[in-house]
Amino acid sequence: MRNVHHFIDGAAFAGTSDRSGDVFNPNTGEVQAQVGLAVPGDLDLAVQAALRAQPGWAGTNPQRRARVMFEFKRLLDLHMQELAELLSSEHGKVIADSRGDIQRGLEVIEFACGIPHALKGEYTEGAGPGIDVYSMRQPLGVAAGITPFNFPAMIPMWMFGIAIAVGNTFVLKPSEKAPSVPVRLAELFMEAGSNLGMDLKGVLNVVHGDKVCVDAILQHPSIAAVSFVGSSDIAQYVYAQGTAAGKRVQAMGGAKNHGIVMPDAELDQVVKDLSGAAFGSAGERCMALPVVVPVGQKTAEALRERLVAEIDTLKVGLSNDPAAHYGPVVSAAHRQKVSDYIQLGQDEGAELVVDGRNFSLQGYEKGFFIGPSLFDRVTSGMKTYQEEIFGPVLQIVRAESFDQALALPSAHQYGNGVAIFTRNGRAAREFAARVNVGMVGINVPIPVPLAYHSFGGWKRSAFGDANQHGMDGVRFYTRVKTVTARWPEGDVADSSFVIPTMR
Ligand code: NAD
């Protein structure tokens, strides 16, 4: 049986505990590897390695740090297919989608290639007589990232791409369900350094684990900042514990993204967009679109009919089948959870139009597959509407007016993404301005901002002030130091007992 090791101080490390977790192949349902689960002592070794490496790395001039990012990006491109196959084999998403996962992370590395420009400070010459004021952005020290199973490449790179480029060293605690790609990323990062004649050991470390390791991160006195992405209850816990321990914390949580379909929308396109956004990656995306809100009776009937026909064309298959639209979900427990939500939806009185529960792939009956499901006449009081299902389930919630449609995502506990489909620019503009959600798509079903913008939801989809990547990422992983400098000339000035002003 293959073992997935930690990666500490530039080398694989088996860990000091006998705690381990199963890594499944979701296509077959079989255990394909064991991953070591860290105890606090293992985490401490990684933090000590990061602490040793940090002053030298921060002292490396920013253009040399950027060159490491350029080389790392080149290696990611070179190894794209190998990484995508590894990612699919543990997560279950199809290979083209895994390539997208890596590509989205790679784009953050591209942004990090420009870090010297992003780090430039501010300078005021002559703020007072002979006085100049300037500010600089300095790294925090050692930062940690805790990531979910559903983007094993993109989300780690959201975090360490920026954190490291600005001069921190990093400890990554990826999801124990899909642990192999994060280790490969760390190995490639070391290779990027050695290709440039630099020893980067300790700059990026990977420690696998569960709550035990997360709690050790939150309590470790030498970790200055923690970035978390995962489900909301745990995000809130991480935010509360981390900030109470004096750390800077950003914690992204779950989602329930709505797609509003106005009567003037281009329905053929909307149906294609909804199908990809609701069922792609088996719905295991925080920017999936699991709720569609048609406005008006006519829109609802037309949309429902076309969605049923579209769902009929979907192919659920192995994650390495190039013809499959989506593959299995990540685990048997998750498949059961999605099935339970479908049952609950029926019990709550929603109309189950398409039931994906009985799907099974011939020859792979033990794989974690689940077919696409469609509910109609879902209402805002239902638990299946209020909670995140995170599976291939699309819910139709009918609205009578624009205002009613706008109120649904605005009042929902989650506020990650939302989309409106319309040909009316004024309606789209008003929707974008008024909706109480962090990321908005206008005829764009999955409005994930590009790397040089920043990513973050509102309400229970994100705790903390800073978004991921873009300039918010730079701000999160640095702190500003402001220097006021005077080079006096002439006579000694008298003491002053009032607050200095520069009039
Ligand atoms: P999860 O919350 O179960 O796990 C996330 C991380 O927390 C993992 O590293 C895990 O090991 C750790 N963890 C698990 N249980 C813990 C506990 N009790 N205490 C401390 N740490 C614990 O999430 P997941 O199932 O891996 O990922 C899916 C969730 O992530 C969904 O809710 C999805 O919406 C969310 N997500 C959000 C975003 C975003 O940017 N908002 C992006 C991707 C995924």
Side-chain angles (χ1 to χ4, degrees), residues 28-185:
T28 61
E30 285 163 3
V31 176
Q32 58 163 317
Q34 290 290 316
V35 60
L37 300 177
V39 290
D42 298 328
L43 171 79
D44 187 55
L45 288 174
V47 176
Q48 296 309 327
L51 277 172
R52 280 193 301 277
Q54 204 269 331
W57 177 244
T60 303
N61 67 44
Q63 60 273 32
R64 291 193 73 208
R65 295 202 303 262
R67 271 179 220 132
V68 172
M69 293 298 167
F70 275 106
E71 179 61 7
F72 180 48
K73 177 213 148 13
R74 191 186 70 79
L75 293 176
L76 289 171
D77 273 325
L78 198 67
H79 292 270
M80 175 70 83
Q81 186 63 17
E82 165 214 325
L83 288 166
E85 285 171 14
L86 185 60
L87 199 159
S88 288
S89 75
E90 291 182 355
H91 177 285
K93 63 174 84 173
V94 295
I95 287 176
D97 201 25
S98 291
R99 291 178 70 99
D101 183 333
I102 299 158
Q103 177 64 27
R104 277 295 184 139
L106 185 154
E107 288 169 6
V108 176
I109 304 304
E110 286 175 337
F111 172 74
C113 290
I115 212 67
H117 181 70
L119 282 177
K120 284 188 299 187
E122 296 175 330
Y123 195 100
T124 302
E125 184 192 8
I131 295 177
D132 303 324
V133 180
Y134 59 96
S135 62
M136 44 193 158
R137 290 204 162 270
Q138 296 193 325
L140 306 173
V142 177
I146 302 162
T147 54
F149 79 84
N150 69 324
F151 279 100
M154 176 183 83
I155 295 179
M157 285 193 271
W158 278 1
M159 299 174 179
F160 76 69
I162 310 283
I164 290 178
V166 301
N168 300 287
T169 51
F170 204 81
V171 178
L172 172 66
K173 204 301 284 170
S175 168
E176 63 278 32
K177 292 179 191 144
S180 294
V181 165
V183 174
R184 275 303 284 144
L185 294 178

Side-chain angles (χ1 to χ4, degrees), residues 1 38 51 67 118 139 142 159 168 185 316 347 359 388 476 495:
M1 177 80 53
L51 277 172
R67 271 179 220 132
V142 177
M159 299 174 179
N168 300 287
L185 294 178
V316 183
D347 297 346
F359 178 87
E388 180 182 44
F476 180 74
S495 306

Side-chain angles (χ1 to χ4, degrees), residues 303-323:
L303 186 70
R304 170 178 164 156
E305 193 187 318
R306 287 179 210 211
L307 278 173
V308 171
E310 185 66 22
I311 287 171
D312 204 37
T313 68
L314 289 182
K315 178 170 163 50
V316 183
L318 295 178
S319 61
N320 62 3
D321 175 357

Side-chain angles (χ1 to χ4, degrees), residues 15 61-62 65 86 118 133-134 144 149 159 192-193 207 210 278-279 291 317 342 349 355 379 426 431 442 454 465 493:
N61 67 44
R65 295 202 303 262
L86 185 60
V133 180
Y134 59 96
F149 79 84
M159 299 174 179
V207 180
D210 52 11
F279 303 114
V291 176
I342 296 171
D355 184 353
T379 60
R426 211 171 63 81
F431 181 82
I442 297 174
S454 69
D465 308 316

